Amino acid sequence: MTITGAGTADWFDVKGTVPTPKNAKRLKDGTIGLITGLFLLVALLVLGIVVPLLSPFEVEISIDTPFLPPSGTYWFGTDGLGRDVFLRVFSAVYLDLGVALIGVLIPFCLGTIVGIGLAVSRSKTLNAVAGSIIDGINAFPLLVLAIALIALLGPGLQSVVVALSVTNWARYARLARTRALVVKQQGYIEATQTLGYSKPRTLFKHLVPNVSSETTAYALSDLILVILLIAGLSFLGLGAQPPTPEWGAMISDGRPNFQVAWWPVIFPGLALCWAGVSLSFIAEGLTRRERDVKS
Amino acid sequence: MSVNAMASESSDVLVEIRDLVIGIQRTRKDRLLIVESANFDIRRAEILGLVGESGSGKTMVCRSLIGTLKRRSASIFAGTIKFDGMDLAKLEERQWRSVRGSRIGYVPQSALTGANPVMTVGKQLGEAIRRNRKRKEKDVRRRVMELLELVHIRRPEVVYDQYPHQLSGGMRQRVMIAAAITQDPDIVVADEPTTGLDVTVQAEIMKLLKEIRSELKMSVILVSHDLALIDEVCDRLVVMHAGTCVEVGSVSAVARTPLHPYTIALNRSRIDISTPGAPLITIKGNPPAVGEWPAGCRFSDRCDFVQQDCTVGRNPVLVEVRPNHWSACLHAERLGGTSE
Amino acid sequence: MSDALIEVRDVSVTFGSGSRAVRAVRQVSLHIEKGEAVGIVGESGSGKSTLARVLAGLQRPNSGEVRFAGESIYQRGKAYRGENRRLVQMVFQDPYGSLNPRITALSAVSEAVRVHGVGSRKDAIAKSLELLGRMGISERDAGKKPRQLSGGQRQRVSVARALSAQPSVLLADEPTSAIDQSAQAQLLNLFRGLLDGGLSIALVSHDLGVIRYLTQRVYVMKDGEFVESGLTVEVFDNPQQEYTKQLIASIPGRELHKALS
């Protein structure tokens, strides 16, 4: 056996130990995605404030001839009622994102609390009853259940939020419960018992953070879904009512005349994509970071 | 040792691993090296032990032998693995198919994840047998039974129709060994095959590996972090530390006169069953992490015998200090008398 | 009654009920004296981990009694009341799950230190660093999260956390099974130092080498029962039961040791 060491020589002389270039690491740990996502989101939010403030036009009132194509005056053209599409698209930012945020936050909080509570509780009856309610709700597709509820409550954004809260919490509860049951078995939770930590300390410092990290990750991807859902419900006429500027409703308004004028449909659609893409960048970035914490 | 013996030994060499460099290509310019200098031979019908702490690169070396580095997004950057006129280091995935399984068998770390949970033992082994050539259904079944008996599974006709989860850990690992030897390979790679198994089961599995070596004349590579285990079952061993082979030699030679401070330290840190209570001499510090290897010898900052020239320049390469006993220590000659 | 620190009498633990019932621990009795290292050795499924959890106050036995310093620990409500809770601590098997992944080694230990009475944050941190230092965890490593530490380091952090309660008994469930040999030696040396300092240790393991190295007395457990017990040296040198003989014969490296000595 002869050993030359030749193979190793050229590696070793050049590199010593291999440095990790910052950008490669960042791409891997999600920092770049996170920054891109945040930049896109902030840009959208800023436009949502600035455009309505600076625009010379009115959101809900006709200002010119209908279906004017995009031009120097009307950047995104005008819609069927002669309103400025540019202004309307960006006026809808806070409504669309805000309703979605509330529509996610309520079920997120409710579900996480219920899920952890069930995992911690020793009552078998409670777990059986709540478990079957959760499974029952989850058995239906979210959209179908939401439409049914809105049909009961009457159309409108408030109904959408209520419907989302009533249906979506079950998904979070199931996730939180499963996760909490796993975390509960971990040595660090058992150790809190032998160390004599108080129940609240164990719960809030050790159990909840390790459960909510999971539900938070889900909430972020859920937010994208809910934005689309709200737009979808509004498109069906169940959500935002005219003349409120809302992307789904705007697309619905413009749809019959799409052959003549594409701009009242395409621009709200693009805004919807913008919101979705920026959030998915953020979600992906955060998930990667979380993976880093765990592995 | 006579010249003749040397010559016959070298003709027994089955696999020749030289200057093997394995790592992960992270970006176009950035490579993270995991194994930087692997150098050893695998001889015909021997059990070769591969010892090292976690992160020493032993698993990566194994993967390079069965061509599954890609699955861990790692690849071979340099070096050769000569086996039967081929260089395994340069094999394409298409070519691997005729080597993996049929020439080099593999026993995974965990028998639970290694087996397909929804296929019976008989079906899985049968599939492995049929893989390369067409065979009659009856012949396949006979061969599976033969294999199950070979790995000492009692009542093979029952086990044939069972699913992996119905078997105990030891039985499952026996099935995995049977799967590894279905195609009569020249080499069986066993990566920590008894992790998580009980000592009594471990002893049985080791006995089985010995039988495979002596009766089927296959070479076995046994990866483990347990030096005691390696000492007991292996003929020769390779000690790895921080991506480098630091000592290669016969088990008896390495046990009697270890020629690398790391091996000496490992020996001292292990529990001596015959004199309980003697303090264990631990190795200073922690093993260097991948990508944070120090200059010079990678063991230098944990070494009790460190000299000035140990901490500069390249990582020392293996040198044949005594016949058939290699060490990568610059001062191996001086260590000669410091064993036990 | 002897002055045993922990005394277990006829303890049984059954999981499930009816035809599916699994009797994990059957009518087991043992005692642990002050400053003594006791080993419980057995293979997977022998019930040794369940027994450790019973001792730690984490698993209420179906029958039998566990006494600590003369007082029954499983009374109404929770196990180990008052001061006694702090005096019996446990190190868990899996070094990956025994530390909260979201907090650093230092905060894990200093949290325990603060809960057990060291007042100010500054004092708690100093005390924690000292404990971690004794366990061979440098100040730099103390600021790391569990994922950045090796298996051996995590186990030593767990020990430091357990010691912050100033226990008189340390229960260790397979503390060395998932770590490298050199890390194992480090941990065992630390345990030896703690024994010299007067701590009692109950070591649960399938590794006879570890048991032999550390303990004075040993209980051999199989299928929920003790098949043999006695002084470790005697049990190892002159095993009475077939099962014990088989276990000892399976220890790797013995042939070599014999050859060398």
Side-chain angles (χ1 to χ4, degrees):
Chain A
M1 174 158 146
T2 48
I3 288 156
T4 57
T8 60
D10 35 330
W11 298 105
F12 204 70
D13 285 348
V14 186
K15 47 128 209 90
T17 51
V18 188
T20 315
K22 278 210 179 94
N23 50 6
K25 206 176 158 198
R26 278 185 176 173
L27 192 66
K28 217 181 132 218
D29 71 17
T31 314
I32 288 182
L34 199 58
I35 291 172
T36 317
L38 280 173
F39 176 78
L40 285 172
L41 185 67
V42 168
L44 185 64
L45 292 177
V46 168
L47 283 171
I49 297 175
V50 171
V51 172
L53 271 181
L54 299 184
S55 173
F57 310 123
E58 293 284 338
V59 180
E60 293 176 4
I61 298 165
S62 174
I63 29 115
D64 207 325
T65 332
F67 298 130
L68 284 176
S71 66
T73 328
Y74 307 114
W75 292 354
F76 288 179
T78 60
D79 67 7
L81 294 174
R83 298 172 296 195
D84 182 27
V85 176
F86 185 72
L87 172 63
R88 281 180 64 82
V89 161
F90 287 105
S91 302
V93 168
Y94 280 86
L95 187 78
D96 266 278
L97 295 188
V99 172
L101 193 65
I102 297 166
V104 167
L105 271 181
I106 295 174
F108 163 75
C109 292
L110 209 67
T112 307
I113 292 167
V114 170
I116 292 177
L118 285 176
V120 172
S121 130
R122 292 220 184 95
S123 161
K124 276 186 185 156
T125 10
L126 181 67
N127 261 291
V129 172
S132 43
I133 293 175
I134 289 170
D135 289 343
I137 294 175
N138 285 337
F140 289 98
L142 186 60
L143 187 65
V144 174
L145 210 56
I147 290 176
L149 273 166
I150 295 166
L152 274 174
L153 298 164
L157 282 174
Q158 279 163 334
S159 304
V160 170
V161 172
V162 172
L164 273 173
S165 307
V166 170
T167 53
N168 215 8
W169 69 273
R171 269 159 239 271
Y172 288 92
R174 182 170 58 183
L175 192 68
R177 185 166 79 153
T178 326
R179 176 76 189 147
L181 286 174
V182 172
V183 172
K184 241 176 77 177
Q185 302 293 323
Q186 301 288 313
Y188 59 88
I189 299 295
E190 299 223 288
T192 61
Q193 239 175 305
T194 61
L195 287 163
Y197 290 0
S198 66
K199 283 246 166 76
R201 172 181 287 276
T202 305
L203 191 64
F204 293 114
K205 192 149 178 227
H206 298 279
L207 189 67
V208 172
N210 283 294
V211 174
S212 64
S213 64
E214 203 97 333
T215 46
T216 310
Y218 179 70
L220 268 168
S221 50
D222 197 33
L223 185 58
I224 303 163
L225 231 98
V226 167
I227 288 175
L228 293 175
L229 192 76
I230 287 167
L233 288 169
S234 301
F235 178 84
L236 295 174
L238 299 170
Q241 299 300 312
T244 318
E246 196 282 335
W247 295 329
M250 288 159 79
I251 294 172
S252 171
D253 270 356
R255 198 183 54 91
N257 303 305
F258 185 64
Q259 302 288 347
V260 194
W262 50 268
W263 47 93
V265 175
I266 293 295
F267 287 113
L270 283 177
L272 208 52
C273 291
W274 185 342
V277 166
S278 57
L279 283 169
S280 66
F281 267 120
I282 294 173
E284 178 66 15
L286 286 177
T287 325
R288 279 179 191 231
R289 292 201 143 192
E290 184 59 27
R291 217 179 292 151
D292 247 25
V293 171
K294 278 195 214 141
S295 61
Chain B
M1 193 177 282
S2 74
V3 180
N4 279 345
M6 287 274 281
S8 79
E9 256 187 23
S10 60
S11 71
D12 265 357
V13 170
L14 204 58
V15 180
E16 219 181 73
I17 299 178
R18 290 294 176 275
D19 303 323
L20 192 63
V21 181
I22 303 172
I24 295 172
Q25 188 87 44
R26 291 204 286 204
T27 58
R28 248 177 48 179
K29 282 184 184 162
D30 173 36
R31 292 171 148 167
L32 178 71
L33 299 192
I34 298 163
V35 172
E36 207 214 27
S37 156
N39 281 291
F40 60 90
D41 295 339
I42 302 164
R43 296 179 188 165
R44 203 170 289 282
E46 74 166 350
I47 304 187
L48 179 71
L50 196 55
V51 233
E53 291 166 294
S54 41
S56 62
K58 53 190 194 310
T59 298
M60 283 297 175
V61 171
C62 275
R63 290 183 163 269
S64 72
L65 282 169
I66 50 166
T68 56
L69 283 170
K70 287 262 150 51
R71 291 179 204 169
R72 288 287 171 91
S73 60
S75 49
I76 294 173
F77 295 148
T80 54
I81 308 174
K82 287 211 183 98
F83 172 59
D84 194 23
M86 291 178 281
D87 182 1
L88 299 185
K90 296 189 176 60
L91 236 47
E92 299 287 329
E93 179 56 36
R94 196 168 40 81
Q95 297 165 297
W96 263 116
R97 274 175 222 154
S98 61
V99 176
R100 195 188 296 135
S102 52
R103 306 292 310 273
I104 302 179
Y106 178 65
V107 181
Q109 204 166 58
S110 158
L112 195 56
T113 52
N116 184 344
V118 296
M119 256 170 112
T120 62
V121 167
K123 281 231 174 84
Q124 285 190 49
L125 289 178
E127 193 176 62
I129 291 166
R130 265 189 298 259
R131 225 188 56 177
N132 281 358
R133 50 210 133 152
K134 278 224 154 46
R135 291 221 209 176
K136 278 194 202 128
E137 203 54 41
K138 212 172 69 191
D139 291 347
V140 170
R141 191 182 162 95
R142 208 181 53 219
R143 174 81 177 131
V144 169
M145 288 300 182
E146 205 178 287
L147 282 166
L148 289 176
E149 272 164 35
L150 208 61
V151 296
H152 304 299
I153 282 182
R154 262 168 267 154
R155 298 201 294 158
E157 66 284 351
V158 177
V159 173
Y160 187 95
D161 292 315
Q162 282 182 317
Y163 289 94
H165 69 265
Q166 293 171 299
L167 305 175
S168 70
M171 291 266 270
R172 232 179 282 144
Q173 199 57 290
R174 280 167 197 274
V175 170
M176 294 318 292
I177 291 173
I181 61 173
T182 42
Q183 312 269 346
D184 281 318
D186 300 296
I187 304 168
V188 173
V189 179
D191 187 0
E192 308 227 16
T194 54
T195 302
L197 295 181
D198 289 323
V199 268
T200 48
V201 179
Q202 169 170 293
E204 287 165 15
I205 298 284
M206 290 305 141
K207 207 174 127 214
L208 181 59
L209 289 180
K210 279 187 191 168
E211 281 175 20
I212 286 173
R213 185 263 319 259
S214 50
E215 282 164 30
L216 303 178
K217 305 282 177 246
M218 295 176 188
S219 303
V220 176
I221 299 183
L222 176 64
V223 180
S224 176
H225 62 269
D226 187 348
L227 200 51
L229 188 72
I230 297 273
D231 277 352
E232 189 174 290
V233 296
C234 297
D235 304 304
R236 293 194 314 127
L237 88 166
V238 175
V239 183
M240 287 195 73
H241 178 264
T244 315
C245 293
V246 294
E247 184 160 2
V248 179
S250 75
V251 164
S252 57
V254 173
R256 258 174 255 284
T257 48
L259 292 176
H260 196 282
Y262 177 63
T263 320
I264 295 173
L266 265 187
N267 261 320
R268 283 185 183 162
S269 73
R270 98 184 180 211
I271 298 164
D272 185 352
I273 281 290
S274 52
T275 53
L280 302 174
I281 299 160
T282 56
I283 307 175
K284 280 186 283 184
N286 299 304
V290 170
E292 289 171 21
W293 293 328
C297 173
R298 272 126 202 213
F299 190 59
S300 56
D301 50 2
R302 304 171 77 194
C303 181
D304 291 330
F305 309 96
V306 65
Q307 305 287 318
Q308 273 185 335
D309 55 345
C310 292
T311 54
V312 289
R314 286 179 200 167
N315 188 27
V317 293
L318 282 174
V319 174
E320 188 164 7
V321 181
R322 308 224 163 139
N324 287 311
H325 190 171
W326 290 263
S327 165
C329 178
L330 294 174
H331 306 283
E333 287 288 0
R334 277 193 263 166
L335 292 171
T338 56
S339 76
E340 309 275 319
Chain C
M1 190 173 279
S2 71
D3 56 347
L5 210 51
I6 288 188
E7 176 136 21
V8 173
R9 276 215 188 160
D10 298 330
V11 155
S12 296
V13 179
T14 306
F15 294 115
S17 57
S19 59
R20 283 194 164 183
V22 179
R23 295 178 66 194
V25 178
R26 309 172 179 201
Q27 299 275 315
V28 157
S29 298
L30 69 92
H31 61 102
I32 301 168
E33 310 289 328
K34 193 173 182 315
E36 186 188 34
V38 172
I40 298 169
V41 67
E43 300 192 286
S44 53
S46 63
K48 57 185 194 306
S49 287
T50 309
L51 183 59
R53 288 171 49 81
V54 169
L55 294 179
L58 295 170
Q59 174 68 51
R60 185 177 284 272
N62 297 66
S63 65
E65 194 179 32
V66 184
R67 285 174 170 274
F68 176 76
E71 192 182 324
S72 183
I73 65 164
Y74 288 101
Q75 290 169 350
R76 258 168 290 138
K78 52 181 188 179
Y80 283 113
R81 299 209 283 186
E83 181 75 340
N84 286 352
R85 175 63 280 176
R86 148 183 102 68
L87 293 173
V88 180
Q89 290 303 324
M90 182 149 169
V91 176
F92 296 88
Q93 176 175 7
D94 173 17
Y96 298 91
S98 54
L99 296 172
N100 185 341
R102 313 193 81 81
I103 62 178
T104 64
L106 179 62
S107 31
V109 177
S110 69
E111 180 185 18
V113 167
R114 290 197 77 182
V115 167
H116 291 105
V118 174
S120 79
R121 192 180 195 86
K122 221 173 139 192
D123 290 349
I125 284 175
K127 175 98 201 299
S128 309
L129 283 174
E130 187 231 307
L131 270 170
L132 285 165
R134 262 169 68 198
M135 293 297 118
I137 304 288
S138 67
E139 207 159 317
R140 192 170 144 247
D141 288 338
K144 290 182 178 170
K145 296 221 172 125
R147 74 184 160 93
Q148 298 165 299
L149 300 171
S150 71
Q153 286 174 318
R154 292 183 216 197
Q155 277 314 49
R156 282 179 276 135
V157 173
S158 298
V159 176
R161 183 181 60 190
L163 291 181
S164 67
Q166 295 179 299
S168 52
V169 180
L170 187 67
L171 307 165
D173 183 11
E174 298 270 15
T176 59
S177 67
I179 58 181
D180 282 329
Q181 187 186 302
S182 59
Q184 168 179 312
Q186 261 173 322
L187 192 65
L188 290 177
N189 274 345
L190 289 171
F191 279 170
R192 187 147 281 266
L194 295 173
L195 279 171
D196 293 342
L199 190 72
S200 301
I201 294 181
L203 182 68
V204 175
S205 181
H206 72 277
D207 186 337
L208 286 98
V210 172
I211 295 277
R212 168 97 194 219
Y213 174 73
L214 202 71
T215 65
Q216 284 116 44
R217 282 192 307 115
V218 65
Y219 295 89
V220 182
M221 200 168 183
K222 184 179 191 254
D223 298 331
E225 289 171 319
F226 288 156
V227 293
E228 187 164 359
S229 66
L231 293 178
T232 308
V233 184
E234 283 174 10
V235 171
F236 272 70
D237 291 349
N238 190 15
Q240 299 298 312
Q241 298 294 320
E242 202 45 48
Y243 180 68
T244 318
K245 285 179 192 164
Q246 201 188 331
L247 270 183
I248 292 171
S250 314
I251 308 174
R254 251 168 39 91
E255 284 160 8
L256 188 90
H257 285 292
K258 274 197 190 138
L260 286 175
S261 60

